[in-house]
């Protein structure tokens, strides 16, 4: 009982930003989980229905509108297959910055893209920046970008 009481007191004392960060992170984490599992239908549910904007390192580098995610996924495959890239996975670390204002949020996360290129394990450590719209329990991704150096073989 004493442990439960302490946990309740600690939760009540938690800063609002941390609570907001958890709700803002939910669609980001759900998007990455779905992407990693190859489930782009579920991934798409994490985005605003009116369309999104995406900036990534492979051509054409920029996608926008209601079909941006679908276009990005198709271009990802078009880029990956001829270069022998397979098993792509993105994991995100703890948010390094979260800004929440009336109905909008800005979140930066360290991200790690791992994959195989012609059978060689590769890693690219970068940053993903997200803009979201909504409110608690209803946040959706409006835009995201990937930034990072060139990938390296895993040592």
């Amino acid at each position: 009982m004493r442990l439960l009481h302490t946990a309740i007191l600690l939760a009540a004392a938690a800063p609002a930003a941390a609570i907001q960060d958890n709700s803002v992170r939910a669609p980001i984490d759900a998007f990455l989980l779905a992407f990693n599992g190859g489930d782009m239908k579920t991934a798409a549910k994490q985005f605003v229905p009116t369309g999104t904007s995406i900036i990534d390192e492979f051509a054409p580098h920029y996608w926008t509108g209601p079909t941006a995610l679908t276009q990005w996924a198709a271009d990802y495959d078009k880029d990956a297959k001829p270069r022998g890239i397979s098993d792509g996975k993105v994991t995100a670390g703890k948010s390094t910055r979260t800004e929440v204002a009336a109905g909008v949020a800005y979140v930066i996360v360290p991200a790690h893209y791992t994959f195989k290129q012609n059978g060689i394990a590769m890693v690219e450590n970068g940053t993903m920046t997200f803009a979201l719209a909504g409110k608690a329990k209803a946040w959706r991704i409006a835009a995201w970008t990937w930034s990072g150096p060139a990938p390296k073989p895993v040592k």
Side-chain angles (χ1 to χ4, degrees):
M1 184 66 175
R2 180 173 238 146
L3 181 61
L4 177 62
H5 178 70
T6 302
I8 291 169
L9 286 175
L10 288 172
I19 294 166
Q20 289 174 341
D21 184 43
N22 289 339
S23 66
V24 169
R25 271 298 291 262
I28 294 169
D29 294 335
F31 160 60
L32 294 175
L33 182 65
F35 168 76
N36 290 338
D39 183 0
M40 295 310 287
K41 188 173 184 176
T42 298
K45 292 177 182 177
Q46 308 311 313
F47 289 80
V48 295
T50 55
T52 190
S53 292
I54 299 169
I55 297 174
D56 207 341
E57 63 191 355
F58 56 90
H61 305 291
Y62 178 74
W63 301 262
T64 189
T67 62
L69 183 64
T70 303
Q71 292 170 341
W72 170 83
D75 288 334
Y76 173 86
D77 287 341
K78 271 197 286 189
D79 178 72
K81 286 179 182 175
R83 296 192 309 130
I85 293 175
S86 64
D87 303 325
K89 302 274 188 249
V90 177
T91 56
K94 185 177 178 181
S95 302
T96 58
R97 183 173 179 188
T98 300
E99 300 291 335
V100 178
V104 294
Y106 174 83
V107 181
I108 300 173
V109 297
H112 311 283
Y113 172 46
T114 58
F115 58 97
K116 290 183 182 171
Q117 187 164 15
N118 299 317
I120 298 170
M122 303 288 286
V123 65
E124 182 178 349
N125 296 312
T127 302
M128 293 184 82
T129 303
F130 293 87
L132 297 99
K135 57 186 176 182
K137 296 188 181 181
W139 289 105
R140 294 291 176 258
I141 300 167
W144 67 265
T145 184
W146 171 271
S147 301
K152 299 177 187 175
V154 174
K155 294 181 180 183

